[in-house]
Amino acid sequence: MSYAKISQVAHYVPDQVVTNNDLAQIMDTSDEWISSRTGIKERHISHDQQTSALATEVAKKLLAQSSWQASDLDFILVATITPDSMMPSTAARVQANIGASHAFAFDVTAACSGFIFALSTAEKLILSGSCKRGLVIGAEVLSKVIDWQDRRTAVLFGDGAGGVLIEASDQKHFLIESLHTDGGRGQALTSSYQGLASPFSVEEDSHLSLEMDGRAVFDFAIRDVVATIKETLSEADLSAEELDYFLLHQANDRMLDKMARKLCVDREKLPANMMRYGNTSAASVPILLSECIAEGKITLGSGQKLVLAGFGGGLTWGILLLTI
Ligand code: ACO
């Protein structure tokens, strides 16, 4: 029986940095409001790159860090809610860009939980024995779906990509997972859908830009996501203190303060980087993991225990308990 492990981690963000003060030049907001409510100070915004370009940079880094060639990959999964197009998928574009001739590729659409859902799927592909290695990438160009007239959402998001190389291992690294969707609460976060007019059907409402009931999403994260993390730890017979780090979706620093309090752990166990990237949806957890490794907080192969958690549109939420 073969298990799965994360063997490489990388991230990439576009060069252009937009600060809160830059935003205050074009809308009725301020650095004071944005930083005190969210912790965000700046974000990277793509000038001319689509999501597949960001994901391709991550894929190239992952391969360069490893001893594998693109042709050794069995699959490529890209989690995104901002695909270049619905067809071909962003994953198919990455597959072509890096020449991964033997890999099948598809996108996973689960908003800010997308990377977690995709990583869980990748683990199953490896556990099945049919695949030996693949890439799992979260990548977003959210700046393309934001209503730049709407200060309630425009200040929150940023563009970026992060990902992992996952491969077969003789040791168990993925300990417990807990994945959830509550479509009944889906209207709390919506974005980008437009059906074309047809002579045979009624025209549907289209809501192209991202819209969010911020308070409802905040409350959902504090209540449902924390409860699921606690259940997962209890199933593993671990206390929160026994975990090395909780790498949680980077939406709001105040939210992480509350989550740390409810989990009864030091806030240092919940690293944050949304101050530099904003909320990058499916990219946020892998970018954070990549930075924690670069900073030496987390070391692959060390046996540290981590919780990875994504939560957002769907509503979706997913927890992975790993020993890294
Ligand atoms: N600048 C200045 N004022 C603003 C801004 C802004 N950018 N945005 C809103 N305001 C004003 C509002 O108009 C309102 O004014 P009013 O009282 O005169 O009406 C006031 O500030 C308070 O607005 P709220 O929306 O109530 O602010 P709140 O404290 O709830 O903070 C926030 C909003 C930051 C969005 C918070 O609710 C939040 O972080 N929610 C969670 C978001 C999240 O987790 N998303 C994750 C999933 S994303 C995904 O899946 C893609």
Side-chain angles (χ1 to χ4, degrees):
M1 162 99 181
S2 179
Y3 298 109
K5 70 171 180 191
I6 292 171
S7 61
Q8 302 293 337
V9 184
H11 73 280
Y12 172 84
V13 289
D15 291 338
Q16 180 173 237
V17 174
V18 175
T19 66
N20 292 347
N21 286 328
D22 293 333
L23 292 180
Q25 305 293 314
I26 57 166
M27 65 184 77
D28 182 14
T29 190
S30 64
D31 176 49
E32 200 283 326
W33 193 95
I34 304 169
S35 11
S36 64
R37 300 277 175 140
T38 69
I40 298 165
K41 299 292 284 182
E42 59 188 35
R43 70 286 293 141
H44 291 250
I45 300 286
S46 165
H47 181 62
D48 56 3
Q49 292 172 297
Q50 300 284 352
T51 299
S52 66
L54 273 49
T56 299
E57 293 298 330
V58 172
K60 286 180 180 167
K61 285 188 185 192
L62 291 168
L63 287 173
Q65 289 167 204
S66 79
S67 54
W68 303 111
Q69 307 294 316
S71 56
D72 295 321
L73 297 173
D74 296 316
F75 60 83
I76 299 172
L77 308 188
V78 174
T80 186
I81 51 167
T82 50
D84 302 22
S85 56
M86 293 308 293
M87 184 171 67
S89 67
T90 302
R93 290 170 186 267
V94 173
Q95 188 254 11
N97 290 346
I98 63 171
S101 47
H102 301 122
F104 62 88
F106 62 92
D107 288 358
V108 173
T109 306
C112 305
S113 311
F115 177 77
I116 302 296
F117 283 22
L119 187 55
S120 160
T121 304
E123 189 224 358
K124 305 306 170 300
L125 289 171
I126 288 172
L127 289 187
S128 76
S130 65
C131 297
K132 292 212 163 7
R133 69 197 68 85
L135 304 183
V136 184
I137 298 171
E140 305 282 10
V141 178
L142 289 156
S143 58
K144 309 261 188 233
V145 298
I146 285 167
D147 176 357
W148 287 98
Q149 311 291 322
D150 179 7
R151 67 178 184 171
R152 291 170 304 140
T153 50
V155 303
L156 303 176
F157 297 95
D159 302 336
V164 302
L165 175 65
I166 179 169
E167 56 188 294
S169 159
D170 51 11
Q171 282 173 354
K172 193 171 166 68
H173 293 268
F174 287 70
L175 303 181
I176 299 184
E177 67 177 29
S178 188
L179 309 182
H180 302 268
T181 297
D182 181 359
R185 287 186 279 169
Q187 290 308 306
L189 260 163
T190 58
S191 128
S192 285
Y193 166 74
Q194 188 170 33
L196 297 177
S198 151
F200 304 109
S201 54
V202 292
E203 203 165 316
E204 291 185 42
D205 285 346
S206 58
H207 298 283
L208 285 180
S209 60
L210 192 149
E211 293 179 18
M212 177 168 72
D213 178 346
R215 189 55 60 90
V217 178
F218 194 102
D219 292 345
F220 145 73
I222 302 298
R223 192 173 50 240
D224 301 64
V225 179
V226 169
T228 307
I229 293 174
K230 284 183 173 174
E231 281 162 24
T232 305
L233 293 178
S234 148
E235 195 182 331
D237 206 15
L238 287 169
S239 72
E241 270 307 317
E242 289 175 273
L243 269 283
D244 291 283
Y245 288 104
F246 295 78
L247 303 190
L248 308 188
H249 173 51
Q250 301 289 296
N252 185 319
D253 205 41
R254 284 195 314 166
M255 183 189 275
L256 295 188
D257 285 342
K258 283 202 173 189
M259 291 173 106
R261 278 202 296 277
K262 289 194 78 171
L263 288 166
C264 303
V265 289
D266 291 343
R267 180 52 220 271
E268 288 72 50
K269 290 200 179 215
L270 278 62
N273 64 6
M274 85 285 286
M275 46 289 289
R276 283 175 284 117
Y277 299 114
N279 176 346
T280 56
S281 189
S284 88
V285 172
I287 292 176
L288 184 64
L289 177 60
S290 177
E291 286 203 331
C292 286
I293 290 171
E295 289 163 13
K297 286 186 177 134
I298 294 173
T299 306
L300 292 175
S302 64
Q304 285 169 301
K305 288 192 182 61
L306 309 180
V307 159
L308 308 188
F311 44 89
L315 295 177
T316 54
W317 65 110
I319 315 297
L320 293 178
L321 175 60
L322 308 177
T323 166
I324 199 86

